[in-house]
Amino acid sequence: MIDRRKFIERVAAVSALSLVPNIIKSQSSILPLDLNTDNLPLFISTWNHGIEANEAAMQVLVNGGSIVDAVEQGVWIPEADPNNRSVGIGGYPDREGHVTLDASIMGPDGNAGSVCFLENIMHPISVARLVMDSTPHVMLSGDGALQFALENGFKKENLLTPATEKAWKKELIETGYDPKPNWENEPNKYHDTIGLLGVDSAGDIAGACTTSGMGFKMRGRVGDSPIIGAGLFVDNEIGAATATGMGELVMKTVGSFLVVELMRNGRTPQQAVEEAVLRIVNKVPDHKKYQIGFIAVNKQGDTGAYCLQPGFNYALYQNNQNILIDSNSYYK
Ligand code: GLY
């Protein structure tokens, strides 16, 4: 059943959302320098927008927030950035011109929440959090997810910006609604999902993943990001993993769950992500024209990252350093 107190707390947090990203950015220089104890806490996230997301997440933890608060609020940064073409407002729309969002979140207690095919809500990750915290369900979709968000204080917003509307019209002219885009020469195009994993100093793990999905996708298409076990998986006994890139390849191999299970069976995070990419290479015949990237972390604070094609990078905030690292790739 729905817990009213939690609802009210979440709504209060959401009503402050438009202010939070700037506040967090302006406070980033006051992070204390003595946080690290044996590699923890840490945040690891996909792509260069991960730097700011990590910074925001660490600030939440420093200010006394939980590891779930930290990953949720970390990804608010790219969700609210109108210049980010693959997350939240400013994300590329589908082929009909609608921005449709997918997001998921998992906490150390094994609970999970997600939304998919959600329109007109700036922070789908917070709707996913509310699904996790306040309903008996894991996933809400489309109109139902929107109804749930509006009933709980989220505001409807237009997420299509003048820049993405222009890009959409150009894409229509250039591709003529081609349902099978060929990205042989541009495997990184239109996929920059943010996945953010965090481990606090007690070793508790959480993860968040949020995206506007593949740019100019078919209407109704949902990717891996809101699918628990595909785009995101957390097992607080073992570790966590999240994915970016062409979600169909991750869904067909249940990628993030696979990474965590490989770690459970003794692989390091790096060995696990490499094996998950190899699984895609061996099982998905047309994988070569697409990009996939995984990041992973275990309970001890060891991390891993690997991708199919060159070009994927990730941000790691650990031992008081928040740095962008180029991932190794299967193809060179
Ligand atoms: N990985 C995000 C998507 O395929 O939608």
Side-chain angles (χ1 to χ4, degrees):
M1 290 302 293
I2 291 171
D3 177 331
R4 294 299 307 169
R5 185 181 58 79
K6 280 188 181 160
F7 261 36
I8 290 161
E9 284 170 7
R10 299 301 310 144
V11 169
V14 167
S15 63
L17 284 179
S18 58
L19 295 173
V20 168
N22 287 332
I23 291 169
I24 289 169
K25 275 182 209 166
S26 69
Q27 289 180 343
S28 61
S29 59
I30 64 160
L31 283 175
L33 294 176
D34 58 354
L35 268 174
N36 62 308
T37 333
D38 298 323
N39 290 335
L40 301 178
L42 76 80
F43 291 96
I44 182 169
S45 55
T46 54
W47 305 104
N48 57 1
H49 48 207
I51 288 284
E52 283 188 297
N54 284 357
E55 206 167 290
M58 190 65 87
Q59 185 70 60
V60 171
L61 212 55
V62 167
N63 288 343
S66 71
I67 193 66
V68 179
D69 296 334
V71 295
E72 177 195 7
Q73 294 176 37
V75 302
W76 280 353
I77 306 291
E79 282 186 339
D81 180 357
N83 296 315
N84 189 315
R85 291 286 168 264
S86 51
V87 185
I89 189 168
Y92 285 125
D94 65 15
R95 285 191 280 144
E96 316 292 324
H98 302 275
V99 180
T100 70
L101 305 175
D102 298 336
S104 63
I105 190 162
M106 283 191 83
D109 60 356
N111 207 357
S114 80
V115 289
C116 67
F117 197 49
L118 175 62
E119 294 182 51
N120 298 115
I121 297 293
M122 170 95 76
H123 292 289
I125 196 67
S126 295
V127 187
R129 170 101 191 250
L130 199 58
V131 172
M132 174 172 84
D133 285 349
S134 308
T135 81
H137 308 304
V138 170
M139 176 182 268
L140 293 179
S141 67
D143 286 348
L146 179 61
Q147 180 183 327
F148 173 74
L150 297 177
E151 282 170 3
N152 288 287
F154 289 80
K155 296 207 166 34
K156 224 170 166 176
E157 301 187 54
N158 178 18
L159 304 179
L160 188 69
T161 64
T164 49
E165 185 172 7
K166 194 170 159 198
W168 166 58
K169 288 183 175 158
K170 182 167 174 277
E171 182 76 13
L172 288 190
I173 293 163
E174 286 176 1
T175 69
Y177 276 99
D178 182 355
K180 289 187 180 161
N182 188 338
W183 293 328
E184 199 102 43
N185 300 316
E186 295 179 282
N188 291 301
K189 199 176 175 186
Y190 304 146
H191 286 285
D192 294 336
T193 297
I194 183 146
L196 169 61
L197 309 173
V199 189
D200 68 17
S201 34
D204 283 330
I205 310 168
C209 185
T210 176
T211 188
S212 50
M214 186 169 90
F216 315 113
K217 59 199 172 189
M218 289 179 72
R219 181 135 180 90
R221 182 264 186 189
V222 169
D224 60 316
S225 303
I227 310 296
I228 300 300
L232 175 71
F233 196 68
V234 174
D235 183 326
N236 202 47
E237 280 179 28
I238 306 296
T242 189
T244 182
M246 184 70 175
E248 282 72 2
L249 278 59
V250 180
M251 293 157 86
K252 287 173 187 173
T253 53
V254 201
S256 293
F257 181 72
L258 174 62
V259 171
V260 173
E261 288 308 290
L262 288 166
M263 291 193 286
R264 189 191 307 281
N265 288 316
R267 310 297 197 285
T268 65
Q270 187 59 36
Q271 289 168 338
V273 290
E274 289 183 18
E275 200 166 327
V277 168
L278 195 60
R279 185 71 60 92
I280 289 171
V281 170
N282 290 331
K283 296 284 180 186
V284 184
D286 66 342
H287 67 272
K288 205 167 178 179
K289 60 186 172 188
Y290 301 116
Q291 174 65 299
I292 279 298
F294 287 108
I295 56 172
V297 64
N298 67 16
K299 210 167 169 63
Q300 291 71 44
D302 306 314
T303 58
Y306 201 58
C307 55
L308 260 182
Q309 315 283 350
F312 170 54
N313 53 25
Y314 64 102
L316 177 62
Y317 196 154
Q318 188 172 33
N319 298 322
N320 302 316
Q321 274 193 317
N322 190 18
I323 52 172
L324 193 64
I325 302 170
D326 286 329
S327 167
N328 286 330
S329 53
Y330 180 83
Y331 292 107
K332 303 298 173 198

